[in-house]
Every structure is written in C-alpha cells, then in structure tokens.
Amino acid sequence: MTLLPSYYYSPLLPTTPPKLRSPLHTPHRRSRSPLPFLLRCSSAASSEMAGSTGSTLYPSHRCKTLHLVRHAQGIHNVKGEKDYKAYLSPELFDAHLTPLGWEQVSNLRKHVHKCGLAKKIDLVITSPLLRTMQTAVGVFGGESYTDGINVPPLMVENAGNSNHLAISSLNCPRFVAVEKCRERLGVHPCDKRRSISDYRPLFPAIDFSLIRSDVDVLWKADVREKDEDLASRGMSFINWLWTREEKEIAIVTHSAFLSHTLSNFGKDCHPTIEAEICKSFANCELRSMVLVDRSMLGLDSSNYNYPGKIPQGLDLPSDVAQEKQPEKSHAN
C-alpha cells in the first residue's frame, strides 16, 4: 500500500464562517479479505529511484482518501503537559475536551464546511473514547439538535461534561466507533474507555456494533502497549479500511496512534514527503492522505469506467493496423 499527503488543516490557520452542507449518500459495507502490506511511494521500477522526484498514476477505484484528525485538547493534555505524572491520575479517566478544545472543534468545523470537505465525507470513523467522539461529532456532525426531529442526536446535551448543546445527525455521514484506532493501551487512565452501554445514551447515532465487548478488556492497568504493537495495530486498522466501500473517510483518533501508524509509510519517498506523512499532529489538526491499493487483490470495481465499443464496431488503432498490414502501409 501507498500513503501520500493530500491536504492539511492546522488549528492555527484562520477560519471563516461555515457554509451549509447538503445531504450525503453513505455506501453500504461489504466484507472482503484484508490486503497484504506493501509500502511504496512512487512508481519507480528499481530502488535506485527511491527518493527521486516523479509522478505516479493509479486507478481511482484502488484509492481511498483518508482525512486524519487528532482529537481536540483534552483535560489530560493540560494536566500532562504541566506534569507528566498526571497521566497516571484516575481523575483523568476517559478524558473529555476542555473549553479550549471545543473552540478548536468549532474552528475545524468551520474550515471543513468552507473548503467543501464536509460534503465529501462518506464515513466518519472514531476511536471509542470520549474526547475523540466529542471531536468527531463536533466537526463532522449536524447543527444543534432540536426536539421533534425524527432522527437520533449524535450527541446529547452536556455529554461528558461538555457543557455543549446536543448535536444533530441530520444530513450527516455515518459515524462508526472502532477499537483498532484507539490511543496506546494501558497504564494511563485517560486512555481507558467506559462501557459501551454508558456511551450509547450519550452518543445515540454513533454505531458501536463493531465493538465486541461492552467493558474495556484491552486496557491493562500495569501494561503499556509497546511501540511495535501499536504500529502493528495501526497497520491492521489500515488493512481493515479496505473492507469498506467508502472512498472518503474521516478518522478521528489520537497522537500516538497516528504517529506509530504513519511511521510505517514513506520510507522510499523523498525526505520532504516522508516528513509530511510522519510529522506529529497538533490537537484538532486535519491532514488528508491518499491510500493506494497496489496489491492487485482489491475487489472494488470503478463506478466511472466504461467499457466502450457499445454497439460493436471496427476500432483498430492506426499504429496497430500499420504493424499488421506493413505492405499496404508502404504501398500507400
């Protein structure tokens, strides 16, 4: 697989008021085999070309665009930057966003509407932790929820001590919670999730059906997930994305998960491109990447390709005709 930079949003960039979004069609899911890992950044035929400049061409149906977002500022970010030992505090269990974090969410929301990205997203995948779900619904969700609308809210009012109005799911893509894109597991209480049965009333329109266990069986109080295990989990998540039909996918996740997942990519790119792929994420930063399936195992067909020659007719190219009929060509 190949992962290449496509688009950036920094929370430090100025923003302007959002535009209204239109209803989105969300494709259905279907299952297929995970793809083997293949890391390339160019179409170079040999390793001698690694690091050189050049262009790459791929069939569009073998590509997905991933819009990667790190959650906005959480209470653990504030406490932990002042004192790293604070990450061990039980008071930071399943850390929620700070008021500043919600401002960051609002600014990113304005940005994705202004640039038109909000209308393109087919699916929003979120880590099942409070801060990521708050960020996901705040950025990619609907407007403020109003009673009487015949759709469940993405988030109820004041969910997770947010002091935030309810958020509607009207005219939104599908939201799915996925365990594979959680933050590094273990030891830090801020990275432990609540029971899914606790989340469902807070985020009624988020789909939690892919999470098998109601309680958090992955987080261990005395074992911190190793770098290599986190990177491996990240690649498992990337491979899983090929089981989805959606092409434009927003993924709201965490700093360490992004860092170690993206470290798997860019080794044969120009150093500038590798740096773009692998640099650390700020709170509520958006970075878009094009993910390419080069394994030849993808099952999706193009929605736009057209076979031609309908109805049937003679269509031999002139160069081929010259090769097949050299005597006639010379005679002319």
Side-chain angles (χ1 to χ4, degrees):
M1 280 181 292
T2 301
L3 192 66
L4 294 173
S6 168
Y7 180 80
Y8 290 88
Y9 167 79
S10 165
L12 300 179
L13 291 175
T15 57
T16 54
K19 298 179 181 179
L20 294 177
R21 63 182 296 152
S22 61
L24 295 168
H25 169 69
T26 302
H28 294 294
R29 203 177 47 186
R30 67 182 168 84
S31 162
R32 52 180 214 201
S33 300
L35 303 183
F37 171 59
L38 174 64
L39 179 61
R40 295 283 299 182
C41 272
S42 73
S43 58
S46 71
S47 59
E48 295 178 1
M49 295 294 291
S52 66
T53 59
S55 299
T56 304
L57 194 65
Y58 291 104
S60 63
H61 65 280
R62 293 190 178 275
C63 302
K64 294 181 185 291
T65 302
L66 309 182
H67 305 284
L68 307 176
V69 179
R70 180 190 174 194
H71 64 79
Q73 185 193 71
I75 58 171
H76 65 305
N77 296 131
V78 177
K79 299 285 188 181
E81 188 161 335
K82 295 177 181 178
D83 178 9
Y84 181 78
K85 294 180 180 179
Y87 283 115
L88 301 175
S89 171
E91 295 179 1
L92 297 180
F93 166 64
D94 193 16
H96 59 80
L97 297 186
T98 65
L100 178 65
W102 278 106
E103 288 184 40
Q104 293 171 342
V105 167
S106 177
N107 284 333
L108 179 53
R109 176 182 176 80
K110 292 174 185 176
H111 173 76
V112 299
H113 280 265
K114 177 189 175 184
C115 71
L117 178 59
K119 296 180 180 180
K120 296 180 179 180
I121 300 296
D122 299 320
L123 175 71
V124 178
I125 294 174
T126 177
S127 160
L129 290 175
L130 197 53
R131 58 189 181 272
T132 41
M133 291 189 288
Q134 288 176 329
T135 301
V137 301
V139 172
F140 299 107
E143 303 298 334
S144 297
Y145 182 78
T146 303
D147 289 336
I149 297 178
N150 193 27
V151 293
L154 277 166
M155 186 182 83
V156 299
E157 185 173 357
N158 198 36
N161 299 316
S162 64
N163 195 30
H164 196 284
L165 295 174
I167 297 174
S168 173
S169 63
L170 190 63
N171 297 333
C172 293
R174 185 181 181 188
F175 283 69
V176 178
V178 177
E179 293 263 46
K180 283 183 180 290
C181 64
R182 285 179 58 175
E183 183 56 297
R184 188 195 298 267
L185 298 166
V187 181
H188 295 174
C190 59
D191 300 328
K192 182 179 182 180
R193 71 164 172 82
R194 302 164 195 257
S195 298
I196 299 303
S197 55
D198 291 336
Y199 285 141
R200 290 186 192 276
L202 301 178
F203 302 94
I206 292 183
D207 181 359
F208 293 97
S209 63
L210 297 180
I211 299 178
R212 297 180 179 180
S213 174
D214 182 51
V215 299
D216 189 353
V217 297
L218 300 177
W219 187 92
K220 306 297 182 184
D222 56 349
V223 179
R224 189 73 168 156
E225 189 174 19
K226 297 179 180 178
D227 288 352
E228 56 269 29
D229 293 335
L230 179 54
S232 177
R233 173 159 63 88
M235 283 313 306
S236 177
F237 172 76
I238 293 293
N239 285 337
W240 171 81
L241 291 175
W242 291 109
T243 69
R244 309 290 312 193
E245 288 190 346
E246 297 90 352
K247 296 297 184 183
E248 298 263 354
I249 303 176
I251 301 167
V252 184
T253 180
H254 307 265
S255 175
F257 177 82
L258 287 165
S259 176
H260 287 82
T261 299
L262 296 179
S263 69
N264 289 305
F265 295 93
K267 299 294 189 298
D268 66 343
C269 294
H270 186 280
T272 301
I273 303 298
E274 182 178 8
E276 289 181 22
I277 293 172
C278 298
K279 71 174 184 177
S280 299
F281 276 68
N283 279 132
C284 219
E285 180 179 355
L286 163 67
R287 198 181 305 169
S288 297
M289 305 279 179
V290 176
L291 181 67
V292 178
D293 164 22
R294 301 182 72 245
S295 69
M296 301 297 292
L297 294 180
L299 298 180
D300 281 345
S301 60
S302 172
N303 292 327
Y304 303 111
N305 290 358
Y306 183 75
K309 209 171 182 177
I310 300 174
Q312 291 281 336
L314 299 177
D315 67 348
L316 191 66
S318 59
D319 288 351
V320 178
Q322 182 176 352
E323 293 174 3
K324 288 189 174 184
Q325 304 173 13
E327 293 182 0
K328 292 183 179 180
S329 174
H330 291 309
N332 291 334

